[in-house]
Amino acid sequence: MARTRLLAGNWKMHKTRTETVEFAEKLAHLSSGMTTEKAKGYPELLVCATFTALPGLMEPLQKSNTGLGAQNMHEADHGAYTGEVSVAMIKELGCTYVILGHSERRMYFAESDAAVAKKTLVALDHQLTPIVCVGESLEERENGDTSKRIAAQVGAVLDVLKTRQDVVSERLVIAYEPIWAIGTGRTASKEDAEVVAKAIREQVKAELGDHVADAVRVLYGGSVKPENIADFLSEADIDGALVGGASLEAESFFRMAQNSAL
Ligand code: 13P
């Protein structure tokens, strides 16, 4: 099954509203000369902005066919959760994606595997596409615990999805982001990233069946840039990239789109 490639920018806590609109206008300008024929081979484009930048960002991004996503959400529909944001709130602003369980949220905000799994189900239940992040620390890698760690993180999500045959699990996106590769300039080798991506797909297959495993997209993240993105995408089980630093400038984001075009 042909899976649509996804190039997703995670802007983390960067950019004011004004700066995000400037990015969108620049990206529209860069992509304006593109023929429809050429655009066909491009990956699906997405940026995930901070909550404050989401209002009014969908329209300027549409000019370059770029989708909008949030970087987190709460699992409850509403309630006494000071400082949190619900699925309906981000959907209202035009988000079609949400990043869940990024390692920075797991690390600094104590998000557990169970919480991430719950949020994933809520996102799917509300027709949002969750990008669930998984990844091992340097210590886990050096101790040979990479596959165990990834399997536990992915397993927590699949265990919840298994209980709900009515949600469209095919929409799930899993981003493999080794923590030691995030913002460090170090990347996993494409071969190592493929080993993990393939194992994730095998695990999805074992738990949710062939059809879901064929459809689920697995991304690589961690120091991806225009110069190395094509290497990762040449691997059979890597369907795109989740990019931090190199997604902040429109030129660099557009170069990554060009370099991942088929
Ligand atoms: P960098 O691309 O800056 O390494 O960040 C990766 C990341 O955390 C994306 O979610």
Side-chain angles (χ1 to χ4, degrees), residues 23-199:
F23 174 102
E25 298 295 349
K26 220 183 250 181
L27 188 61
H29 178 72
L30 289 168
S31 58
S32 64
M34 215 159 51
T35 61
T36 324
E37 201 45 45
K38 208 168 158 204
K40 273 190 201 154
Y42 271 56
E44 182 183 348
L45 303 179
L46 172 76
V47 291
C48 298
T50 56
F51 292 136
T52 59
L54 296 176
L57 186 54
M58 186 184 74
E59 293 79 7
L61 282 175
Q62 275 171 345
K63 295 182 206 162
S64 58
N65 262 325
T66 303
L68 182 63
Q71 298 171 14
N72 180 33
M73 63 173 212
H74 194 274
E75 64 267 31
D77 283 345
H78 49 79
Y81 302 105
T82 302
E84 290 292 320
V85 168
S86 76
V87 63
M89 294 168 189
I90 58 175
K91 275 190 76 174
E92 187 184 35
L93 301 175
C95 289
T96 50
Y97 280 81
V98 61
I99 296 174
L100 296 174
H102 190 279
S103 60
E104 287 148 17
R105 295 221 49 94
R106 294 178 189 260
M107 236 182 326
Y108 306 134
F109 303 97
E111 275 194 24
S112 64
D113 288 352
V116 174
K118 233 188 260 174
K119 290 178 184 201
T120 305
L121 181 60
V122 172
L124 286 172
D125 233 349
H126 288 80
Q127 292 76 49
L128 266 191
T129 300
I131 301 178
V132 176
C133 302
V134 298
E136 81 286 2
S137 66
L138 187 57
E139 195 186 346
E140 285 163 336
R141 169 152 290 250
E142 283 171 351
N143 290 339
D145 289 334
T146 299
S147 53
K148 201 168 83 188
R149 183 73 193 111
I150 307 299
Q153 290 176 324
V154 173
V157 170
L158 299 181
D159 281 349
V160 170
L161 296 185
K162 256 193 322 199
T163 66
R164 284 283 305 274
Q165 300 294 327
D166 58 314
V167 297
V168 185
S169 298
E170 284 85 345
R171 196 138 26 80
L172 179 67
V173 179
I174 299 175
Y176 168 53
E177 300 203 306
I179 297 171
W180 48 270
I182 295 177
T184 57
R186 276 182 76 186
T187 65
S189 69
K190 65 184 180 112
E191 293 82 8
D192 283 353
E194 169 62 15
V195 167
V196 176
K198 195 177 163 81

